[in-house]
Amino acid sequence: MAPFEKAVRLIKDTVESRRLPSAALGIGIGDTVCVKETFGATSVTPEGIPVREDTLYDMASVSKILSTSMIALRFIAEGILDLADMLPRYFGQDAVPEDKKEISLFHLLTHTSGYPAHIPLYEKIPTPELTVPYLLSVPLEHAPGTRVVYSCMGFILLGKMLERISGKTLDVLAREEVFSPLGMTRTGYHPLDAGTDYSANTAYTERNPLTGEWLIGQVHDENARFLNGVSGNAGVFSNLNDSIRFARMLAGHGVLDRKTYLPRRIFDVSIQNHTPGLEENRGLGFQLAGGWHSCSGRFFPQSGFGHNGFTGPHIFVDPGSGLWTVLLLNRVHPTRENAEHLRVRRILHTLIAIGLEERSLPPEPLSPS
């Protein structure tokens, strides 16, 4: 742990000073786990218990790579999907308006579809069943392919597309295509369905505005909650152990425990920058490093890729060295007004990058006797 000692101390001090309620931190290189530490309690309330390696966190938008993007990439590798496939192929020529007929899978994965960043579906439609017709009717904010606008709406539609292609719900698809193959035994949607022990060992987020009760094992994202907890943009819960397995697969360019999860060609193209010159660097579902303001900062290798989520978690990887980091947070507990994670995350990646450099230095020469 020595090269990453400063990184560990940063997270430990941040939690102990109560700037963040809890954290689960993993750092490694390839298959080697260098750091696996937990800090704080599941809640600031008296009911909170110490966080463990198997404590569940709401992964928020990290769900986009844990579930939706991975399923899409697997379908591409299986010849079920193609990046050039457009909405009419799956939702019907007559159902898709003219302004959306040329939105492709590529546009949805790279956030260049033209969809707005956010629409409160729970205020616009009475039931989840109307999601697809409503999203197909929403005016686009720009022509497909001309701008990057990070859009949960595009990923909600992508999730519905995957369901329509397969005839299975997204939670089942994620289990079959991602979590089971990768041995992520405690990752999934609707964690409380798996047993009562999950609720006791789950990090709290905010209070449900409708009931006033703490959200524990219920997705924090309002649209995902409206969609019964299973959505293309959010809804997955995971823990440190499982998230580390996912990070190791990413660091292995699609290989985990000597087994190929994604073909190397599919994986490597997915982490290329497909939006040069636009507002953000985006891969196929992946957020890419880029500049001082990105979640990994300016000093982490700028070839890095991964994703972060609104509730605080993130997974980020340097494909060159195999360096990876997993940081699970419930920074929205007790309130989303806490934005300390943004600064802490960038500093963490700086310290990790420095630790990697120190780890790579040759040993000091022996003094002559």
Side-chain angles (χ1 to χ4, degrees), residues 205-253:
T205 55
E206 285 187 299
R207 291 188 185 275
N208 187 325
L210 298 178
T211 66
E213 297 178 347
W214 291 112
L215 291 168
I216 314 166
Q218 299 178 62
V219 62
H220 178 267
D221 181 87
E222 293 88 350
N223 276 333
R225 202 157 65 242
F226 171 72
L227 296 172
N228 300 316
V230 179
S231 180
N233 71 310
V236 173
F237 285 74
S238 190
N239 60 30
L240 183 60
N241 290 330
D242 280 4
S243 295
I244 284 175
R245 289 192 63 79
F246 191 79
R248 286 173 50 213
M249 180 276 292
L250 297 180
H253 293 254

Side-chain angles (χ1 to χ4, degrees), residues 86-103:
M86 297 181 184
L87 296 187
R89 183 178 188 89
Y90 302 105
F91 296 115
Q93 192 72 26
D94 295 337
V96 179
E98 286 299 322
D99 65 331
K100 300 178 185 68
K101 286 191 186 299
E102 294 189 1
I103 293 177

Side-chain angles (χ1 to χ4, degrees), residues 260-277:
T260 298
Y261 170 72
L262 271 180
R264 178 69 181 251
R265 185 61 184 163
I266 299 291
F267 186 89
D268 285 353
V269 170
S270 75
I271 63 173
Q272 293 174 4
N273 182 11
H274 294 281
T275 58

